[in-house]
Amino acid sequence: MNNKAITKKFTPHTIFTPLVIVVLSCSFLIFVNYYTIKILSSCRAYVNGESHYSKAQKDGTRNLISYLFTGESKEWKDFNIELLVPQGDRLARIELLTTKRKNVIKDGFRAGRNDEKDINDMIWLFNNFKNISFFKTAISEWGKSDRQIENLTKLGHEINSQMKKKSLSAIEKKSFLNQINNISHEINSSESKFSYSLGEGTRAMKTYLLLINIVLTLIIISSVSVYYNVLFGKLKKSTAETDKKNSKLIIANKELDKFVYSASHDLRAPISSLQGLIEVMKLEQDSDQFNLYLNMMSDSLIKQDQYIRDIIDYSRNKRKQITITNLSLATLINESIAQNKFTKSSCSITITTDLAIDLITNDELRLRIIINNFLSNAIKYSDPEKENPFLHIKTYLNKNGFIIEFSDNGTGIDLAHQDKIFDMFFVTNSSNNGSGLGLYIVKEAVEHLNGSIKVSSKVTVGTTFTITIPNNHEAKS
């Protein structure tokens, strides 16, 4: 896989998105739990407040009934004290629905015997949930109960007024008792509905909280799993890439050792040969022999020049990145022909072309290396025994990309050597000027372009090299 593909697979977006989801889900979970606890706590405070409300109403009712039949002033006093509790809650409710004076609201709740620590939460719940179904119902029942408390207060004052004026008859007392019981029944009914509504609301909230917690927990678990899978995948891919690079480094080190050894030998050999020929020429008197020695020197220099060119191509092919540009195959081929025009045996070989595809988009350096090496090899390995040595260069398209074919009628390659010709420093004949690097460099260049090479050859008949280069222009990593 190339680096571009890895980048697409493991982007910062891919890695950090699950982490962001986890952070947001955890934050939302904390938020939901905090406010759910706050709501449940506030509902509990209202339920506790209702119990104080209900107890005070019942105690007050009992005191009023006792006062009705005994006339004890203490019972009348206790009745008024007990009614201060629901009256305080009523004041808080009315203020919450109207002017919202916080000090008055708090004083009302305090009078209702609510815990000081709960008052702020009770105010918060009323302000934020007064239009929510369950709490709206509770407020409505609270209002009904307050109106009955007001009726009970009026009835108490009427009883007190009547008792101060005269002694009440048994029938009158019974009538007042029936009224007290009716009011108490209405208050008890509203109190029950108030508590029931709050209870239903808290139970619904518990259910919603459970569902939200389950959903958010699943999201967190899924996101964490995705996050760790991405990290594990990246780690696995990085490990694979590291192993691949290590393998390449091992191969490169072996090639480097081989390259250094062979290069030092092949670079020194022509120099030693030249030095030897110079020493021989110092002793030679025959001019004809001088020309022979000069030709031998020229061959040594040509070989060394070719070797240095191959080393330069090797270095550039290894080092330079793929650069995609618009190219003309005809231009590259003609330039390579011109470059090899004055090499030995180039005059005797006929070079023809059949270019069905010319304009392409690809890497110029690698294509120059490929074309020049095959062209120079065809010249180098041309068969001097043949009357019409030739090299035919053909280009065309197929479904896999564009094809360049180099066909010659040169000396050919023995079948036993055909699987080795692309190895570093392999030469089929030590008598020629080959460095053993040319076809190795060609193979490396073609692989950089994700291409392939096929060879078809027969000794004394000739050789055809077929190079296929894909059209996607994507370089091999």
Side-chain angles (χ1 to χ4, degrees), residues 110-306:
R110 290 188 189 106
R113 297 175 184 170
N114 293 283
D115 194 304
E116 185 70 30
K117 295 177 181 177
D118 292 332
I119 291 176
N120 285 329
D121 285 346
M122 294 173 74
I123 296 171
W124 174 84
L125 184 70
F126 195 103
N127 289 332
N128 290 280
F129 285 78
K130 61 186 176 186
N131 294 318
I132 304 301
S133 177
F134 80 95
F135 200 68
K136 189 175 182 180
T137 301
I139 293 172
S140 176
E141 295 301 327
W142 185 1
K144 291 178 183 179
S145 183
D146 282 346
R147 286 190 289 274
Q148 293 301 325
I149 290 292
E150 190 175 358
N151 291 335
L152 183 63
T153 303
K154 291 178 181 178
L155 181 61
H157 284 288
E158 185 180 347
I159 292 170
N160 181 51
S161 177
Q162 291 290 332
M163 288 183 69
K164 285 181 178 180
K165 291 178 181 179
K166 61 176 181 175
S167 297
L168 296 175
S169 66
I171 295 174
E172 290 175 324
K173 288 180 180 179
K174 186 176 181 181
S175 175
F176 279 125
L177 179 60
N178 288 335
Q179 292 180 62
I180 293 170
N181 288 334
N182 288 336
I183 292 172
S184 294
H185 176 75
E186 291 296 327
I187 293 173
N188 291 337
S189 175
S190 293
E191 288 172 346
S192 297
K193 290 177 181 178
F194 177 89
S195 297
Y196 178 80
S197 180
L198 288 178
E200 285 293 297
T202 54
R203 282 188 287 274
M205 285 190 181
K206 286 179 182 178
T207 303
Y208 294 144
L209 174 63
L210 179 62
L211 292 174
I212 291 171
N213 273 269
I214 291 172
V215 171
L216 290 176
T217 301
L218 290 174
I219 290 172
I220 290 169
I221 292 171
S222 301
S223 299
V224 169
S225 299
V226 170
Y227 179 71
Y228 278 106
N229 282 337
V230 170
L231 287 183
F232 179 75
K234 187 176 182 182
L235 179 61
K236 188 177 179 181
K237 178 57 64 177
S238 298
T239 302
E241 287 296 313
T242 301
D243 291 342
K244 184 178 179 181
K245 289 178 181 177
N246 286 338
S247 299
K248 287 183 177 181
L249 284 174
I250 292 170
I251 295 171
N253 285 333
K254 289 180 179 179
E255 288 183 353
L256 182 61
D257 290 341
K258 186 177 181 181
F259 180 81
V260 170
Y261 173 79
S262 297
S264 61
H265 175 270
D266 290 341
L267 285 172
R268 289 181 63 194
I271 296 173
S272 299
S273 176
L274 287 173
Q275 288 175 333
L277 288 171
I278 289 170
E279 292 301 321
V280 171
M281 288 179 68
K282 288 179 181 179
L283 304 174
E284 186 61 58
Q285 302 297 323
D286 188 346
S287 60
D288 291 336
Q289 286 295 109
F290 266 57
N291 289 331
L292 176 62
Y293 294 145
L294 288 172
N295 286 334
M296 292 173 67
M297 288 181 180
S298 176
D299 288 342
S300 292
L301 290 173
I302 290 171
K303 185 173 182 178
Q304 188 165 34
D305 177 65
Q306 183 60 51

Side-chain angles (χ1 to χ4, degrees), residues 57 199 233:
Q57 172 262 319

